[in-house]
Each structure stands twice: as structure tokens, then as C-alpha cells.
């Protein structure tokens, strides 16, 4: 390890630098060895002190210098590194690719083997025998020698990990040999084996039973991190592979498979049992500081909030005092700390466009160099940043960066009245200095902004920053700082301070970046918490208004004792209901609060009305898109496997087109039924024809969104455009969904009961219905017993009763509306069931038809799964469920598959074009 010391210009001013020569390099030793060496130095000093007399106090002081105040508590003995899991997956993928090549490229593998055998056959016989002898001995002696070296240094945990990995690798090789010999395709067997020399009729081993364990052992004990041992290991492996190929005891694919199995098993073992925790202790830190020329007296661990983001982005920080000179701030980064948040960073790198976080597999050397580069670049740009004066490695698993001590408090720790306009201006000036040199900070949160005793703002935590940053990253920094400051001083002051330093145009350009995905992890968590609190306040306000309204009505009725309540006409009752609704709406409007991002946008637009407000597309892949693609692929695979055994030519020729026409009519009638089901829960007057057109437009919407989401959003929007107030529109759609869910469950149970009694004279329900009821009961018990789930359900039910139930009470006062809504739901289900039944009859014969009850049960189950599936329109899930359900109730697969395809064609795919036309028409008319 090259030692990076103090800058020449800082040599005189940095009094912590030691004048004694020290040629030892901290990077060449393990943390345990470094600490042990320091202990020996302390002990040696003690003996010398006793010999000379009068040095005991100095020895005690040095011993205390190795103690760190506030160091970590008891650390876990083992840590599970995500990088080990990634290596396991890479190894398994390599094995799969190797076997695929061997299976499908038989000509290439045989030609490669012939070329290698021809080339190795030209080697001198004496050299081949000597190489075989040396490699056979060395491949056993090298692991033993390394084990002895580790045991001498008291590192027995690594040896135990290596032995466990070797045992598991041996078991995997035995299983692989058995699979190749008995069940593998002939092409794979030919690629991995060949006739054994001198043994007629036998084949060589597909996987070397002792080479794979040796590779697993040496990988698990960490030989790859020690250059000398790594060089010896690779030399022995190459020599051994050469000797085995020359003598004809193996094939190239067998060697590669052995390497991959040993490598994958080793890292799988390390991830399963955990790697020994080699995080440097306080003693190691003090020893490392001495090796770079400082003479520390004491160190104290800085206490920070224990969050995932601070753990991965800030490092562990220490305040170190020296024998002479000002104190130091030391940041320590180790491999275990880097492993935290690995999967989060990998997901961000996969899904975000052009501004993802740092490399998921960044090495410690890269982390050290990046932070050092950013520290120097920030100071060169004129920003107030901590001054880096030294860097070093603390063994092979940690690095440290030494800064001049800055002192001060973070923005998060300041009181609200301490955040003055001058402080806000100074903060923006530091960001302006960074952006003048195209430096992006990437994490301008409260704990990255430090205020010293004189009030000067210092920008810290430059570890994940970026130099030569593009405009996207720079604008994200502005939006992040706007939100950070807005959380403390409000949107108005945050925007005003930014405009005063950066100008209105620069602030306006950041509006497209003002979205949660562009903010830091901790900021998003804070915004979600504030959103939950706002929603809770709104619900409490509505519930309180409802309580007060009921109390006022009861008091009014009690005061009017002389009135005959039976003579109250319907008009009075409706007036009271309307008054209660107005009170609830007013309470909701009064309690409604805008979120911080919206407030910031309004402030910026007030200054620059022409500023772009459309959020920028920052996601490369959305989670919903990825899940939809995977689910759709699974569904398509299932359908294709079902369709491969069907001959569509004769099937279409023999189809009964009268039933196909009937299925088309039932599909068209479903849109009128859907309009009735919606309007039945809307007391206001809404045009029926336009409502039918909106349901047709829903056929297009549900292709681009899940069925349970797209239809709800479209109907809510339609009702709002039709003149229904937003809160009432949401309540009407919610009431329709609630009644629809209840009807769906009742019909499923009823038809399931009838299906169970079809073949038995007694009225006993089917086992499926009983199992379903028991499952529901178990789920209810689980939800009520788990506090988190119980709170979640109670919160949702309270919000439901706050909005939907009053709307349902309005509908109950109008029997015609209620009959229309429930009748529309029943008619909608009947249309779909009859459409599916007609599709079955179109392709089936007289003896293959099913009862209406069986068809209804299959449809209701498939529709429920389609609503829960994340794919648009339930693609894949509905087809699979309907096909399996029809086959389960006795329909032949050659009839079930085309019937389901016809049903989905009429109810999902063919209405897409009319739905698109209806959607555009309603949009132009202002109805959507």
C-alpha cells in the first residue's frame, strides 16, 4: 500500500505529523497483526521504562491512547455480505451457461477438445510427468501451508469456513457425477468425460472430486486477498490442469465446471454462515494513525443516527486528539459497511436513468480515491469543505481518511430560530461554488450541512459526489436542497433564499426534478411520514365533523320534544342528509393540506409562471412494469404450452358460429351493465350514454394499468368531470367497489355451494368451499393477532367509514338507485358468465358443456385473481386460472383453451380499439 501523507504546503501547519521516520506500511498487515504489533511496542516500552526507571506514567498514557471512547458495541462475529451472494449467482449462471454450451454446441465442444488434446500431446513426456508430480503434491500442500499460517496468526474461523466449504463442494461433485452418469444428456456426458487412459470401458470423472474441494477451501479462507498466496494458487491450478489434460484424465469443460462448482460453493458457504467480521477496532485505528505520522492521544466515536443511509454513505467517524496540534476528524470505511445497502444501490442502478448511485461493487480503493478526489475538488472550487490531509489503508478490509477538525453542528441539530436568512444564503453560496465547477454533491440532506461556531456553513459528506457532473445531477442537487431546507423553514423561505443566490431561472429549471424518486432515501422517508400524518389529520377532522353533526341533530331532536317525528317528511330528511354532507365536505376542505413538493412548485411558479412543471422521466424501468413483464411472460409460457397440443384448423372449421355471435352480444351488453352498476351509487344526475362510453374507454385503460387501479381512476375522473365533487366521486366509486366485492364473494360462495351439490343428493357443500372458508378464517385470525396488520386494517376501515358509508346512506334513501346499482352488478356478472358459457359451447360438443353454476365459479375465481394480478387486464393470470378451472371441473383441455382465448378476445382485446376511440372522444369533450 502506497502511503498518502500530508501535503507539502500543510507540513508545517499540521502539528499532528510525526518527525520520526517510519517505513512500515499499514496496508501490508491484517488489522489483527497491526494491533498486535502496537501491543508489543507498548509492552516493549514498558520493559524499557522499568529498566531505566521513571517511564511508568508514559506507558500508562500510551496504553490509554489505544482506547476509543464511544467505539462500537459488541460487533457480530459474522456478517453476510451481499457481494458473496452476487458471486454465488454468477457462479451458478456460469455453470448453467457451460452446461448449455455442452448440450447445444456438441460440434464446437468436440472440436475444441480435439484441438486441445492435439496441442497438449506435443509436450515432452518428461515435462508432463514432472508437471503432474509437482502439481499433485502442491495442490495438497498449498492449502495445508496456508492453514498453518492462519492458525499461527489465530485465524481459525477462516480455516473452519474453508473446511465446511470443501465438504460441501465434495458433496456437490458427487451429486454432479451421479447426475452426469445416469440422467444427463449424451452431449453433456461427452463434453465432460472421455475414455480413461489404461482402463478400457470406463470414463473419466465429470468433476474432479478433490480439485473442487481444494478450490472451495482456498476461496473460502480468503487466499485471493493475499497477492503472494494468490500467485502460488493460480500457478498450481494451471500446472495441475495442464498435466491432467496432457495425460487424458479430463476435458476442458470438466476443468471449467470444477472451477465454477468450487468457486460457487465457497461463496455460497460464506454467505450462508457469514464471513468473519474483520471491522477495524479503535486500537487498529490508533495504530493506523501512527503509521501515517500522527501521535494520537485519544479518540471518540461520533454518534450519528442509526439509519441505513448514514451507515452506507457517511462512514464511521472519530474525533481524535493529538499530543501536539489541533485535533482531527477521521472517517473509516470497511467492507462490511460498504456491503450495507448493496441491493438498494443495485436496484437504483437498474431502474434509474443516467444518475444512478455509485457502483454496487465498488472496491475500498475506489471508495477512498473517490472521496479524496471530491474533497480536493470541492476546496479548489472555493466551497467550504473539510480539508483532507492524509489517507491510508487499515489492513486489507478498511481504509481511513484524515481531515482537519471542523467542529460545529449539523443543520438537523439546529433549532428553528437558529436557521437565519444569512445561514440559508451561505448554504446556497456553497452549492453555487460546487456547481460552478460541475461538482454534484448527491446527498444535500441536513446532516451533510455543518455550521461551525462562527456561523460558517461547511459542506460535508462528499463521498458519493461526482465531478464533471451533467446538468441533470446539478438540478437534482438544487431540488434536494430546496426540500431539505423546506422541511425546516418552509417552502417560501427555502425558495426565496435559492432565488436570491442562484437566480430564478436556475431554480425554475429544477422543477422537473422535484419528485420523490430524485430525492435521497431519508428525505423520501420523511415525506412519507408527513403524508401519513396529513392523511390522519384529514380523517380525524372528517370523523370529528361527523360526530358533531350527529350530536347537533340529536340535541335538536331532544329540544323539540313537542314535534311529532313521525310527521317529518322525506324532504326534511334529505335536507338533513345534505347538510351533513356539506359539513363533512367543508371539514375535509378545511383539513386538507398540500404537501411540501406542491408548495415549493407553487412558490417557484409564482416567481416564474412559465417554468416547466412536468416531472422528468427518471425511471428506466418501473417496478410495476418489471412485475407485469415477468407475470405476463409466465402466463404466455403457460398458454403456449397448452396451445401446442391443439390443432386450430379443424377446431375453427367445426366452431359453432351461432354461439360465437351470442358471446359477442353478451360481451357488448356488459358495458351497459357496468354503467348501471356505477350510476346506481351516484345520487347526482349523470348522462347514461356518456357513462356507457366511459366504460368502453375503460377497456383501453385496463390494458395499460392493472384492472383494480385503472377502472377506479377512470370512473373517479369521469364523475368529477360530470360535476360530482371530488370527495363524493371517490366515495361513489368506493361504494360501488365495496358492494361489488360483497356481491362477488356471495355469488362465489353460492355457486360454489351449488356446484358441490350437483353430483350428490344431499345439500352438502364442496370441499373447496369449506377449504376457502377455513382459509379466510385463518387469515382473519392472523390479521387480528398481528399488531401491524391490525393497525393497517383499522386505519383503512376508518377511512372507508369516513367517506364511503355516508355516501351509501344517501343511496339507501333512494331505492331506485340502489336497485339499479345492485342489479347492474348482478347483470354484469351474468353477462360475463354467459359470454364464457357461449364460448365453451362454440367449441364443445353436446356432451362437453358445463352447468352454469360451474362456469360461474370458474369465472368468479379467475376474475378475482385477475383483479389482484399486477399485469394489465390480468393478462396471463386470468387465462391460466380460467383454463385450469375449466379443466378441473371436467372440460377437455382441447375445448377449454380455445374457449378461454375466445372469451378473452371478446372481453379484453377486441374492445381495445373502440375503447381508445371512446377515450379520445371523451377527452376532447372534457369528460375525462
Amino acid at each position: 500500500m502506497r502511503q498518502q501523507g500530508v501535503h507539502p504546503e500543510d507540513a508545517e501547519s499540521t502539528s499532528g505529523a510525526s518527525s520520526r521516520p517510519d517505513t512500515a506500511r499499514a496496508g501490508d498487515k491484517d488489522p489483527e497483526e497491526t494491533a498486535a504489533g502496537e501491543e508489543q511496542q507498548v509492552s516493549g516500552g514498558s520493559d524499557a521504562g522499568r529498566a531505566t526507571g521513571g517511564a511508568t506514567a508514559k506507558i500508562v498514557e500510551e496504553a490509554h491512547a489505544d482506547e476509543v471512547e464511544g467505539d462500537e458495541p459488541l460487533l457480530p462475529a459474522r456478517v453476510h455480505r451481499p457481494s458473496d451472494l452476487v458471486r454465488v449467482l454468477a457462479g451458478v449462471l456460469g455453470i448453467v451457461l457451460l452446461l448449455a454450451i455442452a448440450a447445444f454446441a456438441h460440434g464446437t465442444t468436440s472440436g475444441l477438445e480435439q484441438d486441445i488434446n492435439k496441442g497438449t500431446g506435443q509436450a515432452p513426456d518428461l515435462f508432463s510427468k514432472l508437471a503432474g508430480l509437482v502439481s499433485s503434491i502442491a495442490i495438497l500442500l498449498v492449502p495445508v501451508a496456508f492453514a498453518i499460517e492462519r492458525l499461527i496468526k489465530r485465524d481459525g474461523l477462516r480455516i473452519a469456513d474453508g473446511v465446511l466449504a470443501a465438504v460441501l463442494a465434495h458433496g456437490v461433485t458427487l451429486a454432479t457425477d451421479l447426475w452426469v452418469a445416469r440422467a444427463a444428456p449424451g452431449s453433456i456426458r461427452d463434453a465432460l468425460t472421455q475414455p480413461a487412459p489404461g482402463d478400457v470401458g470406463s470414463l473419466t470423472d465429470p468433476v474432479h472430486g478433490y480439485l473442487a474441494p481444494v478450490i472451495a477451501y482456498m476461496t473460502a479462507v480468503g487466499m485471493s486477498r493475499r497477492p503472494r498466496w494468490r500467485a502460488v494458487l493460480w500457478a498450481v491450478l494451471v500446472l495441475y490442469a495442464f498435466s491432467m489434460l496432457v495425460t487424458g484424465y479430463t476435458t476442458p469443460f470438466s476443468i471449467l465446471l470444477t472451477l465454477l462448482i468450487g468457486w460457487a460453493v465457497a461463496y455460497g458457504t460464506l454467505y450462508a454462515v457469514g464471513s468473519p467480521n474483520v471491522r477495524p477496532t479503535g486500537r487498529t485505528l490508533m495504530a493506523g494513525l501512527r503509521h501515517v505520522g500522527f501521535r494520537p492521544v485519544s479518540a471518540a466515536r461520533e454518534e450519528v443516527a442509526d439509519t441505513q443511509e448514514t451507515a452506507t454513505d457517511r462512514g464511521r467517524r472519530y474525533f481524535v486528539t493529538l499530543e501536539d496540534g489541533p485535533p482531527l476528524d477521521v472517517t473509516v470505511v470497511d467492507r462490511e459497511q460498504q456491503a450495507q445497502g448493496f441491493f438498494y444501490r443495485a436496484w437504483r442502478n437498474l431502474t434509474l436513468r443516467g444518475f444512478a448511485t455509485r457502483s454496487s461493487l465498488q472496491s475500498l480503493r475506489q471508495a477512498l480515491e473517490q472521496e479524496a478526489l471530491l474533497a480536493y475538488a470541492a476546496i479548489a472550487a472555493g466551497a467550504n469543505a473539510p480539508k483532507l490531509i492524509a489517507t491510508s489503508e487499515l489492513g486489507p478490509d478498511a481504509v481511513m481518511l484524515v481531515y482537519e477538525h471542523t467542529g460545529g453542528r449539523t443543520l438537523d441539530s439546529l433549532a428553528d430560530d437558529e436557521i437565519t436568512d444569512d445561514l440559508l444564503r451561505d448554504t446556497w453560496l456553497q452549492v453555487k461554488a460546487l456547481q460552478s465547477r460541475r461538482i454534484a454533491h448527491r446527498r444535500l440532506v441536513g446532516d451533510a450541512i455543518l455550521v461551525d461556531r462562527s456561523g460558517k456553513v461547511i459542506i460535508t459528506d462528499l463521498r458519493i459526489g461526482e465531478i464533471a457532473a451533467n446538468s441533470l445531477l446539478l438540478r437534482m442537487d438544487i431540488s434536494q436542497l430546496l426540500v431539505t431546507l423546506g422541511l425546516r423553514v418552509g417552502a417560501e423561505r427555502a425558495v426565496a433564499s435559492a432565488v436570491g443566490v442562484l437566480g430564478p431561472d436556475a431554480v425554475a429549471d429544477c422543477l422537473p426534478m422535484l419528485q420523490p424518486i430524485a430525492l435521497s432515501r431519508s428525505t423520501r422517508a420523511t415525506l412519507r411520514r408527513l403524508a401519513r400524518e396529513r392523511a390522519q389529520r384529514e380523517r380525524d377532522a372528517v370523523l370529528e365533523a361527523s360526530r358533531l353533526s350527529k350530536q347537533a341533530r340529536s340535541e335538536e331532536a331532544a329540544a323539540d320534544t313537542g314535534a311529532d317525528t313521525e310527521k317529518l317528511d322525506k324532504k326534511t330528511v334529505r335536507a338533513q342528509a345534505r347538510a351533513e354532507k356539506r359539513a363533512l365536505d367543508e371539514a375535509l376542505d378545511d383539513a386538507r393540506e398540500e404537501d411540501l413538493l406542491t408548495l415549493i412548485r407553487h412558490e417557484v411558479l409564482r416567481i416564474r409562471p412559465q417554468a416547466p412543471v412536468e416531472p422528468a422521466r427518471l425511471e428506466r424501468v418501473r417496478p410495476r412494469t418489471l412485475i407485469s413483464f415477468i407475470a405476463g411472460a409466465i402466463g404466455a409460457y403457460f398458454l403456449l404450452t397448452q396451445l401446442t397440443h391443439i390443432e386450430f384448423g379443424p377446431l375453427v372449421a367445426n366452431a359453432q358460429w351461432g354461439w360465437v355471435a351470442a358471446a359477442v352480444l353478451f360481451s357488448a351488453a356488459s358495458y351497459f351493465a357496468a354503467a348501471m352498476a356505477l350510476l346506481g351509487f351516484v345520487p347526482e344526475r349523470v348522462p347514461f350514454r356518456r357513462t356507457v362510453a366511459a366504460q368502453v374507454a375503460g377497456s383501453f385503460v385496463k390494458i395499460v394499468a392493472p384492472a383494480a387501479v385503472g377502472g377506479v381512476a377512470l370512473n373517479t375522473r369521469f364523475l368529477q368531470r360530470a360535476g360530482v365533487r371530488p370527495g363524493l366521486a371517490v366515495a361513489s366509486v368506493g361504494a360501488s367497489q365495496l358492494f361489488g366485492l360483497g356481491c362477488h364473494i356471495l355469488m362465489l360462495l353460492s355457486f360454489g355451494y351449488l356446484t358441490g351439490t350437483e353430483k350428490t343428493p344431499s345439500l352438502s357443500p364442496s370441499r373447496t368451499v369449506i377449504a376457502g372458508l377455513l382459509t379466510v378464517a385463518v387469515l382473519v385470525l392472523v390479521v387480528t393477532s398481528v399488531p401491524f396488520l391490525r393497525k393497517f386494517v383499522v386505519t383503512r376501515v376508518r377511512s372507508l367509514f369516513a367517506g364511503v358509508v355516508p355516501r351509501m346512506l344517501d343511496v339507501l334513501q333512494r331505492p331506485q338507485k340502489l336497485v339499479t346499482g345492485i342489479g347492474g352488478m348482478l347483470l354484469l356478472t351474468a353477462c360475463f358468465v354467459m359470454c364464457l358459457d357461449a364460448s365453451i359451447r362454440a367449441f364443445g360438443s353436446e356432451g362437453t358443456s358445463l352447468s352454469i353454476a360451474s362456469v360461474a365459479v370458474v369465472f368468479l375465481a379467475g376474475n378475482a385473481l385477475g383483479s389482484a394480478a399486477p399485469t394489465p387486464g390480468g393478462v396471463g393470470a386470468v387465462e391460466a386460472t380460467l383454463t385450469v378451472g375449466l379443466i378441473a371441473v371436467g372440460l377437455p383441455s382441447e375445448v377449454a383453451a380455445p374457449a378461454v382465448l375466445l372469451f378473452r378476445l371478446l372481453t379484453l382485446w377486441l374492445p381495445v380499439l373502440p375503447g381508445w376511440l371512446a377515450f379520445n372522444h371523451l377527452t376532447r369533450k372534457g369528460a375525462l
Side-chain angles (χ1 to χ4, degrees):
M1 165 64 190
R2 295 190 304 272
Q3 178 174 313
Q4 301 183 27
V6 183
H7 287 279
E9 62 269 23
D10 299 331
E12 296 181 0
S13 61
T14 307
S15 57
S18 176
S19 59
R20 58 182 175 84
D22 192 351
T23 58
R25 296 179 296 177
D28 293 338
K29 297 184 179 182
D30 289 342
E32 296 87 348
E33 299 175 51
T34 306
E38 292 300 321
E39 290 177 15
Q40 292 174 4
Q41 291 179 13
V42 172
S43 299
S46 177
D47 295 338
R50 292 192 189 95
T52 58
T56 305
K58 182 177 180 181
I59 298 167
V60 174
E61 183 180 353
E62 290 183 0
H64 284 293
D66 287 340
E67 298 179 359
V68 176
E69 301 175 5
D71 201 1
E72 286 113 344
L74 291 177
L75 299 176
R78 292 179 174 272
V79 291
H80 301 274
R81 297 175 178 170
S83 57
D84 293 337
L85 178 60
V86 172
R87 293 185 176 96
V88 173
L89 298 177
V92 173
L93 180 61
I95 293 172
V96 173
L97 291 177
L98 183 68
L99 295 178
I101 293 174
F104 300 105
H106 180 67
T108 302
T109 57
S110 60
L112 179 63
E113 290 181 9
Q114 293 175 4
D115 294 340
I116 293 178
N117 291 332
K118 182 179 179 180
T120 55
Q122 298 177 358
D125 186 61
L126 178 61
F127 177 76
S128 301
K129 292 181 178 179
L130 182 62
L133 177 63
V134 173
S135 61
S136 299
I137 297 174
I139 204 167
L140 297 177
L141 287 182
V142 169
V144 174
F146 186 77
I148 294 173
E149 189 256 354
R150 286 288 92 193
L151 288 175
I152 291 174
K153 295 183 177 180
R154 300 179 181 179
D155 197 8
L157 286 176
R158 293 184 185 274
I159 303 303
D161 295 341
V163 172
L164 177 60
V167 172
L168 295 177
H170 184 66
V172 174
T173 57
L174 292 179
T176 306
D177 289 344
L178 185 63
W179 173 74
V180 172
R182 297 187 179 182
S187 56
I188 294 180
R189 189 181 302 112
D190 294 339
L192 297 177
T193 61
Q194 62 183 11
D199 191 358
V200 180
S202 63
L203 299 175
T204 59
D205 294 332
V207 183
H208 296 273
Y210 58 91
L211 179 59
V214 169
I215 295 172
Y217 167 82
M218 293 188 293
T219 304
V221 297
M223 289 184 65
S224 59
R225 295 182 182 177
R226 289 158 175 81
R228 290 189 294 270
W229 285 102
R230 184 172 64 241
V232 173
L233 168 63
W234 279 107
V236 171
L237 290 178
V238 171
L239 190 63
Y240 179 82
F242 172 78
S243 64
M244 295 293 289
L245 289 172
V246 168
T247 55
Y249 282 98
T250 190
T251 66
F253 279 83
S254 177
I255 291 290
L256 292 175
L257 182 61
T258 302
L259 290 171
L260 288 173
I261 288 178
W263 192 70
V265 170
Y267 283 111
T269 304
L270 290 178
Y271 184 75
V273 303
S275 302
N277 197 339
V278 292
R279 174 176 286 185
T281 61
R283 188 181 297 273
T284 309
L285 170 65
M286 305 296 275
L289 287 172
R290 293 192 184 97
H291 276 287
V292 292
F294 298 103
R295 289 181 293 188
V297 174
S298 64
R301 173 77 186 279
E302 178 185 342
E303 297 296 334
V304 295
D306 187 15
T307 63
Q308 183 76 6
E309 189 171 27
T310 56
T312 56
D313 292 337
R314 293 193 60 181
R316 288 180 293 130
R317 294 181 172 181
Y318 297 88
F319 172 75
V320 179
T321 57
L322 304 176
E323 291 184 9
D324 53 351
L328 304 173
D329 290 329
V330 180
T331 300
V332 177
V333 182
D334 54 62
R335 294 187 186 277
E336 279 66 41
Q337 182 189 8
Q338 272 201 314
Q340 298 180 25
F342 169 82
F343 293 109
Y344 172 76
R345 294 195 300 269
W347 175 252
R348 298 275 287 184
N349 289 336
L350 174 66
T351 57
L352 301 185
R353 297 173 179 265
F355 67 95
T357 56
R358 65 183 185 276
S359 172
S360 302
L361 292 174
Q362 189 182 40
S363 67
L364 283 173
R365 164 62 64 178
Q366 290 173 331
L368 183 145
E369 292 176 348
Q370 181 180 8
E371 184 167 353
L373 177 61
L374 265 296
Y376 294 141
I379 293 177
N384 297 330
K387 191 172 185 179
L388 181 66
I389 57 177
T391 60
S392 178
E393 288 186 352
L394 297 178
D397 297 297
V399 295
M400 71 173 181
L401 298 99
V402 183
Y403 294 91
E404 288 184 353
H405 178 62
T406 54
R409 294 180 294 166
T410 63
L411 183 68
D412 289 340
S413 63
L414 295 178
D416 292 341
D417 55 357
E418 294 181 280
I419 305 178
T420 63
D421 292 339
D422 291 338
L423 189 147
L424 297 177
R425 175 179 173 80
D426 195 8
T427 303
W428 285 110
L429 287 174
Q430 307 312 312
V431 174
K432 183 178 181 180
L434 292 177
Q435 299 211 345
S436 66
R437 301 295 179 88
R438 313 293 297 182
I439 300 174
H441 186 280
R442 307 289 301 275
R443 189 178 170 272
L444 286 170
V445 294
D447 57 14
I449 302 171
L450 199 67
V451 182
D452 65 7
R453 295 177 180 176
S454 64
K456 183 175 68 174
V457 174
I458 301 173
I459 301 296
T460 64
D461 293 342
L462 290 160
R463 181 181 172 193
I464 64 171
E466 188 170 327
I467 62 171
N470 55 38
S471 299
L472 187 69
L473 292 177
L474 300 180
R475 289 190 292 162
M476 284 177 56
D477 269 359
I478 297 176
S479 62
Q480 172 64 63
L481 188 55
L482 277 174
V483 177
T484 299
L485 298 179
L487 289 171
R488 297 303 312 276
V489 301
E492 184 177 357
R493 287 184 62 192
V495 173
S497 60
V499 172
V501 176
L502 303 178
D505 294 333
V507 178
D509 288 341
C510 79
L511 282 188
M513 305 295 110
L514 204 62
Q515 48 184 306
I517 193 174
L519 304 176
S520 68
R521 198 174 186 179
S522 59
T523 305
R524 294 199 304 272
T526 302
L527 292 177
R528 286 194 297 268
R529 176 178 58 80
L530 294 177
R532 289 193 298 267
E533 293 175 357
R534 286 196 308 272
Q536 184 62 43
R537 287 194 294 270
E538 292 177 3
R539 287 192 292 267
D540 293 342
V542 172
L543 292 174
E544 180 64 18
S546 177
R547 186 187 66 81
L548 293 176
S549 177
K550 292 178 181 177
Q551 182 179 357
R553 280 207 318 270
S554 62
E555 292 176 354
E556 193 176 308
D560 192 10
T561 55
D564 189 358
T565 56
E566 294 181 358
K567 295 181 179 180
L568 292 177
D569 55 1
K570 294 182 179 180
K571 185 177 296 185
T572 304
V573 174
R574 292 177 182 176
Q576 291 178 351
R578 285 195 295 270
E580 183 177 356
K581 282 194 305 180
R582 280 197 302 272
L584 294 178
D585 292 338
E586 291 174 359
L588 183 61
D589 292 339
D590 294 338
R592 183 172 288 113
E593 305 173 21
E594 292 185 326
D595 62 283
L596 178 62
L597 300 185
T598 302
L599 293 175
I600 293 176
R601 290 192 190 97
H602 290 168
E603 289 296 326
V604 176
L605 290 175
R606 188 171 59 83
I607 300 172
R608 276 288 185 270
Q610 69 276 16
V613 294
E614 186 69 22
R617 176 69 183 276
L618 302 178
E619 290 178 294
R620 181 185 292 113
V621 179
R622 295 182 178 179
R624 188 183 70 188
T625 304
L626 185 61
I627 295 174
S628 300
F629 175 78
I630 295 174
I634 295 174
Y637 172 78
F638 178 83
L639 289 178
L640 289 176
T641 56
Q642 296 291 325
L643 297 178
T644 52
H645 306 289
I646 300 175
E647 296 181 2
F648 282 96
L651 192 66
V652 173
N654 297 327
Q656 302 181 37
W657 294 102
W659 285 112
V660 173
V664 173
L665 292 178
F666 285 125
S667 176
S670 65
Y671 296 102
F672 295 92
M676 292 172 56
L678 176 62
L679 293 181
F681 296 92
V682 182
E684 293 80 5
R685 184 178 298 276
V686 179
F688 181 76
R689 293 177 57 184
R690 183 163 289 187
T691 306
V692 174
Q695 305 313 303
V696 176
S699 301
F700 166 71
V701 174
K702 68 182 179 182
I703 290 297
V704 297
V709 177
V712 172
L714 183 136
N715 286 329
T716 303
R717 179 70 172 174
F718 169 73
L719 293 179
Q720 292 178 6
R721 289 291 188 176
V724 182
R725 298 186 61 179
L728 300 180
V730 173
S732 295
V733 176
S736 174
Q737 294 289 318
L738 184 62
F739 262 99
L741 178 62
C743 291
H744 193 99
I745 294 175
L746 290 176
M747 285 188 291
L748 183 59
L749 295 177
S750 301
F751 284 115
Y753 187 92
L754 295 176
T755 303
T757 61
E758 284 179 352
K759 298 182 180 181
T760 58
S762 61
L763 293 177
S764 59
S766 65
R767 295 181 178 180
T768 305
V769 175
I770 296 176
L773 292 175
L774 291 177
T775 302
V776 172
V778 171
L779 290 177
V780 171
L781 290 176
V782 170
V783 170
T784 54
S785 60
V786 178
F788 170 76
L789 296 177
R790 183 171 63 249
K791 181 179 179 181
F792 178 82
V793 172
V794 169
T795 303
R796 295 303 182 272
V797 170
R798 287 185 62 187
S799 63
L800 174 67
F801 276 84
V804 173
V805 172
R807 194 63 164 171
M808 292 171 62
L809 295 176
D810 293 341
V811 175
L812 290 175
Q813 297 175 8
R814 300 186 179 185
Q816 293 180 351
K817 283 286 186 179
L818 184 62
V819 171
T820 301
I822 297 179
M825 290 177 182
L826 297 177
L827 181 61
L828 179 63
T829 302
C831 288
F832 282 127
V833 171
M834 297 305 297
C835 181
L836 180 58
D837 183 70
S839 301
I840 295 173
R841 296 177 185 274
F843 294 102
S845 59
E846 187 67 25
T848 58
S849 60
L850 299 175
S851 65
I852 293 297
S854 299
V855 176
V857 169
V858 172
F859 164 74
L860 291 171
N863 188 52
L865 183 59
S867 298
T871 56
V875 175
V878 173
E879 287 84 355
T881 305
L882 293 179
T883 305
V884 172
L886 291 176
I887 294 174
V889 296
L891 194 67
S893 59
E894 59 270 13
V895 177
V900 170
L901 289 180
L902 176 61
F903 173 74
R904 294 292 280 172
L905 182 68
L906 296 177
T907 58
L908 179 67
W909 297 111
L910 286 182
V912 170
L913 180 58
W916 178 73
L917 295 174
F919 184 83
N920 289 333
H921 173 73
L922 293 176
T923 303
R924 288 195 302 269
K925 295 293 184 180
L928 282 180

